[in-house]
Amino acid sequence: MYKLIDGKVISKQIKDELKEKVAAIKAEGTEICLAVIQVGNDPASSVYVGNKKKACEYIGIGSLSYELPENTTEEELLTLIEKLNADDKVNGILVQLPLPKHIDEDKVIKTISPKKDVDGFHPMSVGALSIGQPGFVSCTPAGVIQLIKRSGIGIEGKECVVLGRSNIVGKPMSMLLLRENGTVTVCHSRTKDLKEVCKRADILVVAIGKPKMIDASYIKDGATVIDVGIHRDENNKLCGDVDFDSAKEVAGAITPVPGGVGPMTIAMLMANCVESININ
């Protein structure tokens, strides 16, 4: 029988812990503030931004909202970021991705001060992670680590396979598992014998971006399966990169979609916001 790893429950635990921490920080006279910038009105982005504002309100930190029109120029966006970089009352800056095609995302990410990079995407944040220095860690991979550890699953000495090599999930995920003393293999679209490599995993983290691609035939008996993907299936229902109904027959523990990794991303963003007072 598989164990369901419930991201809603674990993210609530983390947010409740942060709420207490923030109350103590505020009692000492320190405020925390997150600035959230959205360019355009992509419906999915609007939902994410709304959830981030609700999370800020729940744990007791301030939030500033900048909802900019689709035709905002790159220069206007960069000017706003520089203004927020210089504002001592702002601890964290988050620019909701994706941005409209006429704006260079890399340039925007590099413009955010590393001291306010609560998304953990700045090259300096990524570099700090890779050499084991303190800094902000990308929220989704950080959330996956918390899901695993708070479910009582050990990482040290385990065979860990990360399926996907994106800058936002796959690469930082592999470094975080290494930091926890896992033995890590990163797979991708060019990996030979992909199924056999995945079947070696005690912990399989799937961020391949293809709906229901990973079924029971990729999974070792009793493995922990973490599904980072989110898609709409042929019936317009949310699903992940893992075929849950098939995978649960062999997995020892597995995350659902929705309700697995998703809630953790916002919880870890809040954790980064609270951590920002030690970095600023």
Side-chain angles (χ1 to χ4, degrees):
M1 179 64 186
Y2 69 91
K3 174 182 180 178
L4 189 72
I5 300 176
D6 192 333
K8 289 180 186 173
V9 170
I10 295 171
S11 67
K12 175 77 163 51
Q13 288 171 0
I14 292 170
K15 285 191 278 191
D16 285 344
E17 289 165 15
L18 292 170
K19 192 174 185 176
E20 284 186 28
K21 208 169 179 180
V22 169
I25 291 165
K26 287 168 93 168
E28 292 174 0
T30 302
E31 295 288 333
I32 305 171
C33 179
L34 170 67
V36 181
I37 303 170
Q38 181 182 355
V39 184
N41 54 3
D42 174 73
S45 291
S46 297
V47 170
Y48 294 141
V49 166
N51 287 339
K52 286 163 188 172
K53 288 181 197 166
K54 281 180 198 165
C56 285
E57 195 176 336
Y58 182 78
I59 71 164
I61 72 174
S63 66
L64 298 173
S65 183
Y66 297 88
E67 290 160 9
L68 308 180
E70 185 86 18
N71 62 358
T72 299
T73 66
E74 182 175 283
E75 188 180 353
E76 287 168 333
L77 177 56
L78 297 179
T79 299
L80 172 59
I81 292 168
E82 292 287 15
K83 179 184 158 197
L84 294 169
N85 282 342
D87 187 342
D88 290 340
K89 291 178 183 173
V90 173
N91 303 84
I93 301 169
L94 184 148
V95 178
Q96 183 64 40
L97 303 179
L99 290 166
K101 289 188 170 57
H102 65 278
I103 298 176
D104 183 338
E105 284 187 2
D106 281 345
K107 195 183 284 187
V108 168
I109 289 166
K110 286 175 185 171
T111 301
I112 297 169
S113 165
K115 292 183 176 181
K116 299 188 179 189
D117 169 41
V118 286
D119 255 336
F121 294 164
H122 192 284
M124 283 182 67
S125 303
V126 177
L129 172 61
S130 70
I131 60 171
Q133 295 293 315
F136 293 115
V137 176
S138 185
C139 301
T140 298
V144 169
I145 294 292
Q146 287 297 318
L147 276 179
I148 296 169
K149 290 171 81 169
R150 288 175 183 248
S151 298
I153 297 162
I155 299 172
E156 185 168 336
K158 296 281 182 67
E159 185 96 23
C160 305
V161 173
V162 179
L163 189 44
R165 54 178 168 178
S166 71
N167 291 335
I168 290 173
V169 179
K171 290 175 186 172
M173 189 75 253
S174 64
M175 287 189 277
L176 286 175
L177 288 165
L178 272 175
R179 191 164 82 177
E180 297 293 334
N181 299 316
T183 301
V184 183
T185 302
V186 180
C187 296
H188 44 79
S189 58
R190 305 293 176 88
T191 300
K192 290 182 178 177
D193 302 321
L194 180 63
K195 194 172 281 192
E196 296 312 309
V197 176
C198 290
K199 282 194 88 159
R200 296 202 312 251
D202 300 308
I203 298 171
L204 178 62
V205 181
V206 185
I208 197 74
K210 294 183 179 175
K212 298 186 183 179
M213 175 181 162
I214 302 304
D215 61 18
S217 66
Y218 286 80
I219 299 165
K220 175 182 178 179
D221 274 353
T224 297
V225 180
I226 308 289
D227 188 353
V228 181
I230 188 154
H231 313 278
R232 293 270 175 189
D233 68 11
E234 60 280 1
N235 301 314
N236 205 35
K237 285 188 175 178
L238 289 172
C239 68
D241 290 351
V242 175
D243 183 346
F244 183 86
D245 290 337
S246 170
K248 72 181 184 183
E249 299 302 322
V250 292
I254 187 168
T255 58
V257 175
V261 174
M264 296 300 295
T265 300
I266 291 177
M268 300 318 293
L269 171 66
M270 295 299 106
N272 278 351
C273 289
V274 174
E275 180 61 25
S276 68
I277 64 163
N278 298 318
I279 291 173
N280 285 313

PDB file of all heavy atoms in Angstrom, residues 170-187:
ATOM      1  N   GLY A 170      15.174  21.032 -12.271  1.00  0.00           N
ATOM      2  CA  GLY A 170      16.065  19.878 -12.377  1.00  0.00           C
ATOM      3  C   GLY A 170      17.460  20.089 -11.796  1.00  0.00           C
ATOM      4  O   GLY A 170      17.928  19.295 -10.970  1.00  0.00           O
ATOM      5  N   LYS A 171      18.129  21.156 -12.222  1.00  0.00           N
ATOM      6  CA  LYS A 171      19.511  21.380 -11.762  1.00  0.00           C
ATOM      7  C   LYS A 171      19.586  21.685 -10.264  1.00  0.00           C
ATOM      8  O   LYS A 171      20.360  21.035  -9.539  1.00  0.00           O
ATOM      9  CB  LYS A 171      20.168  22.476 -12.598  1.00  0.00           C
ATOM     10  CG  LYS A 171      20.460  22.032 -14.029  1.00  0.00           C
ATOM     11  CD  LYS A 171      20.998  23.194 -14.867  1.00  0.00           C
ATOM     12  CE  LYS A 171      21.143  22.794 -16.331  1.00  0.00           C
ATOM     13  NZ  LYS A 171      21.475  23.949 -17.188  1.00  0.00           N
ATOM     14  N   PRO A 172      18.799  22.661  -9.747  1.00  0.00           N
ATOM     15  CA  PRO A 172      18.868  22.885  -8.292  1.00  0.00           C
ATOM     16  C   PRO A 172      18.391  21.679  -7.484  1.00  0.00           C
ATOM     17  O   PRO A 172      18.911  21.416  -6.396  1.00  0.00           O
ATOM     18  CB  PRO A 172      17.965  24.108  -8.061  1.00  0.00           C
ATOM     19  CG  PRO A 172      17.168  24.286  -9.300  1.00  0.00           C
ATOM     20  CD  PRO A 172      17.954  23.676 -10.411  1.00  0.00           C
ATOM     21  N   MET A 173      17.428  20.922  -8.032  1.00  0.00           N
ATOM     22  CA  MET A 173      16.951  19.720  -7.337  1.00  0.00           C
ATOM     23  C   MET A 173      18.092  18.731  -7.119  1.00  0.00           C
ATOM     24  O   MET A 173      18.264  18.162  -6.031  1.00  0.00           O
ATOM     25  CB  MET A 173      15.850  19.063  -8.182  1.00  0.00           C
ATOM     26  CG  MET A 173      15.115  17.928  -7.492  1.00  0.00           C
ATOM     27  SD  MET A 173      13.961  18.550  -6.261  1.00  0.00           S
ATOM     28  CE  MET A 173      14.802  18.118  -4.754  1.00  0.00           C
ATOM     29  N   SER A 174      18.896  18.534  -8.162  1.00  0.00           N
ATOM     30  CA  SER A 174      20.009  17.582  -8.064  1.00  0.00           C
ATOM     31  C   SER A 174      21.027  18.045  -7.020  1.00  0.00           C
ATOM     32  O   SER A 174      21.550  17.243  -6.240  1.00  0.00           O
ATOM     33  CB  SER A 174      20.685  17.390  -9.424  1.00  0.00           C
ATOM     34  OG  SER A 174      21.273  18.591  -9.876  1.00  0.00           O
ATOM     35  N   MET A 175      21.266  19.368  -6.957  1.00  0.00           N
ATOM     36  CA  MET A 175      22.235  19.894  -5.985  1.00  0.00           C
ATOM     37  C   MET A 175      21.713  19.775  -4.551  1.00  0.00           C
ATOM     38  O   MET A 175      22.475  19.489  -3.623  1.00  0.00           O
ATOM     39  CB  MET A 175      22.587  21.340  -6.327  1.00  0.00           C
ATOM     40  CG  MET A 175      23.468  21.448  -7.560  1.00  0.00           C
ATOM     41  SD  MET A 175      24.105  23.113  -7.850  1.00  0.00           S
ATOM     42  CE  MET A 175      22.727  23.873  -8.701  1.00  0.00           C
ATOM     43  N   LEU A 176      20.406  19.984  -4.369  1.00  0.00           N
ATOM     44  CA  LEU A 176      19.839  19.861  -3.025  1.00  0.00           C
ATOM     45  C   LEU A 176      19.856  18.413  -2.544  1.00  0.00           C
ATOM     46  O   LEU A 176      20.113  18.143  -1.361  1.00  0.00           O
ATOM     47  CB  LEU A 176      18.404  20.396  -3.009  1.00  0.00           C
ATOM     48  CG  LEU A 176      18.273  21.918  -3.058  1.00  0.00           C
ATOM     49  CD1 LEU A 176      16.805  22.315  -3.170  1.00  0.00           C
ATOM     50  CD2 LEU A 176      18.896  22.581  -1.840  1.00  0.00           C
ATOM     51  N   LEU A 177      19.585  17.475  -3.437  1.00  0.00           N
ATOM     52  CA  LEU A 177      19.650  16.054  -3.060  1.00  0.00           C
ATOM     53  C   LEU A 177      21.092  15.658  -2.724  1.00  0.00           C
ATOM     54  O   LEU A 177      21.335  14.887  -1.788  1.00  0.00           O
ATOM     55  CB  LEU A 177      19.088  15.183  -4.186  1.00  0.00           C
ATOM     56  CG  LEU A 177      17.565  15.253  -4.358  1.00  0.00           C
ATOM     57  CD1 LEU A 177      17.154  14.668  -5.706  1.00  0.00           C
ATOM     58  CD2 LEU A 177      16.836  14.541  -3.220  1.00  0.00           C
ATOM     59  N   LEU A 178      22.048  16.198  -3.468  1.00  0.00           N
ATOM     60  CA  LEU A 178      23.464  15.970  -3.149  1.00  0.00           C
ATOM     61  C   LEU A 178      23.800  16.522  -1.770  1.00  0.00           C
ATOM     62  O   LEU A 178      24.523  15.902  -0.987  1.00  0.00           O
ATOM     63  CB  LEU A 178      24.361  16.659  -4.191  1.00  0.00           C
ATOM     64  CG  LEU A 178      24.729  15.884  -5.444  1.00  0.00           C
ATOM     65  CD1 LEU A 178      25.513  16.799  -6.397  1.00  0.00           C
ATOM     66  CD2 LEU A 178      25.569  14.650  -5.115  1.00  0.00           C
ATOM     67  N   ARG A 179      23.279  17.712  -1.485  1.00  0.00           N
ATOM     68  CA  ARG A 179      23.525  18.352  -0.190  1.00  0.00           C
ATOM     69  C   ARG A 179      23.001  17.495   0.958  1.00  0.00           C
ATOM     70  O   ARG A 179      23.537  17.533   2.071  1.00  0.00           O
ATOM     71  CB  ARG A 179      22.858  19.737  -0.180  1.00  0.00           C
ATOM     72  CG  ARG A 179      23.265  20.601   0.986  1.00  0.00           C
ATOM     73  CD  ARG A 179      22.923  22.049   0.770  1.00  0.00           C
ATOM     74  NE  ARG A 179      21.530  22.342   1.074  1.00  0.00           N
ATOM     75  CZ  ARG A 179      20.995  23.553   1.020  1.00  0.00           C
ATOM     76  NH1 ARG A 179      21.720  24.583   0.619  1.00  0.00           N
ATOM     77  NH2 ARG A 179      19.734  23.750   1.318  1.00  0.00           N
ATOM     78  N   GLU A 180      21.945  16.713   0.673  1.00  0.00           N
ATOM     79  CA  GLU A 180      21.370  15.812   1.688  1.00  0.00           C
ATOM     80  C   GLU A 180      22.043  14.429   1.659  1.00  0.00           C
ATOM     81  O   GLU A 180      21.547  13.477   2.253  1.00  0.00           O
ATOM     82  CB  GLU A 180      19.866  15.657   1.453  1.00  0.00           C
ATOM     83  CG  GLU A 180      19.078  16.938   1.593  1.00  0.00           C
ATOM     84  CD  GLU A 180      19.038  17.480   3.009  1.00  0.00           C
ATOM     85  OE1 GLU A 180      19.173  16.672   3.956  1.00  0.00           O
ATOM     86  OE2 GLU A 180      18.897  18.704   3.170  1.00  0.00           O
ATOM     87  N   ASN A 181      23.158  14.333   0.912  1.00  0.00           N
ATOM     88  CA  ASN A 181      23.956  13.099   0.825  1.00  0.00           C
ATOM     89  C   ASN A 181      23.275  11.974   0.050  1.00  0.00           C
ATOM     90  O   ASN A 181      23.520  10.791   0.294  1.00  0.00           O
ATOM     91  CB  ASN A 181      24.382  12.607   2.220  1.00  0.00           C
ATOM     92  CG  ASN A 181      25.241  13.620   2.937  1.00  0.00           C
ATOM     93  OD1 ASN A 181      26.144  14.202   2.343  1.00  0.00           O
ATOM     94  ND2 ASN A 181      24.952  13.864   4.198  1.00  0.00           N
ATOM     95  N   GLY A 182      22.398  12.357  -0.897  1.00  0.00           N
ATOM     96  CA  GLY A 182      21.875  11.372  -1.836  1.00  0.00           C
ATOM     97  C   GLY A 182      22.883  11.115  -2.943  1.00  0.00           C
ATOM     98  O   GLY A 182      23.792  11.927  -3.168  1.00  0.00           O
ATOM     99  N   THR A 183      22.750   9.982  -3.617  1.00  0.00           N
ATOM    100  CA  THR A 183      23.568   9.680  -4.800  1.00  0.00           C
ATOM    101  C   THR A 183      22.696   9.993  -6.013  1.00  0.00           C
ATOM    102  O   THR A 183      21.660   9.355  -6.210  1.00  0.00           O
ATOM    103  CB  THR A 183      23.990   8.197  -4.807  1.00  0.00           C
ATOM    104  OG1 THR A 183      24.735   7.937  -3.613  1.00  0.00           O
ATOM    105  CG2 THR A 183      24.831   7.862  -6.025  1.00  0.00           C
ATOM    106  N   VAL A 184      23.105  10.999  -6.789  1.00  0.00           N
ATOM    107  CA  VAL A 184      22.166  11.628  -7.728  1.00  0.00           C
ATOM    108  C   VAL A 184      22.526  11.381  -9.191  1.00  0.00           C
ATOM    109  O   VAL A 184      23.673  11.541  -9.602  1.00  0.00           O
ATOM    110  CB  VAL A 184      22.104  13.150  -7.471  1.00  0.00           C
ATOM    111  CG1 VAL A 184      21.071  13.814  -8.397  1.00  0.00           C
ATOM    112  CG2 VAL A 184      21.774  13.444  -6.012  1.00  0.00           C
ATOM    113  N   THR A 185      21.498  11.000  -9.965  1.00  0.00           N
ATOM    114  CA  THR A 185      21.600  10.911 -11.419  1.00  0.00           C
ATOM    115  C   THR A 185      20.571  11.876 -12.014  1.00  0.00           C
ATOM    116  O   THR A 185      19.416  11.899 -11.571  1.00  0.00           O
ATOM    117  CB  THR A 185      21.279   9.482 -11.914  1.00  0.00           C
ATOM    118  OG1 THR A 185      22.184   8.568 -11.294  1.00  0.00           O
ATOM    119  CG2 THR A 185      21.395   9.372 -13.424  1.00  0.00           C
ATOM    120  N   VAL A 186      21.005  12.680 -12.991  1.00  0.00           N
ATOM    121  CA  VAL A 186      20.081  13.576 -13.691  1.00  0.00           C
ATOM    122  C   VAL A 186      19.819  13.008 -15.083  1.00  0.00           C
ATOM    123  O   VAL A 186      20.753  12.752 -15.841  1.00  0.00           O
ATOM    124  CB  VAL A 186      20.660  15.006 -13.812  1.00  0.00           C
ATOM    125  CG1 VAL A 186      19.683  15.920 -14.547  1.00  0.00           C
ATOM    126  CG2 VAL A 186      20.978  15.580 -12.433  1.00  0.00           C
ATOM    127  N   CYS A 187      18.535  12.809 -15.404  1.00  0.00           N
ATOM    128  CA  CYS A 187      18.138  12.282 -16.716  1.00  0.00           C
ATOM    129  C   CYS A 187      17.460  13.367 -17.537  1.00  0.00           C
ATOM    130  O   CYS A 187      16.953  14.349 -16.991  1.00  0.00           O
ATOM    131  CB  CYS A 187      17.132  11.144 -16.554  1.00  0.00           C
ATOM    132  SG  CYS A 187      17.781   9.732 -15.718  1.00  0.00           S
TER     133      CYS A 187
END
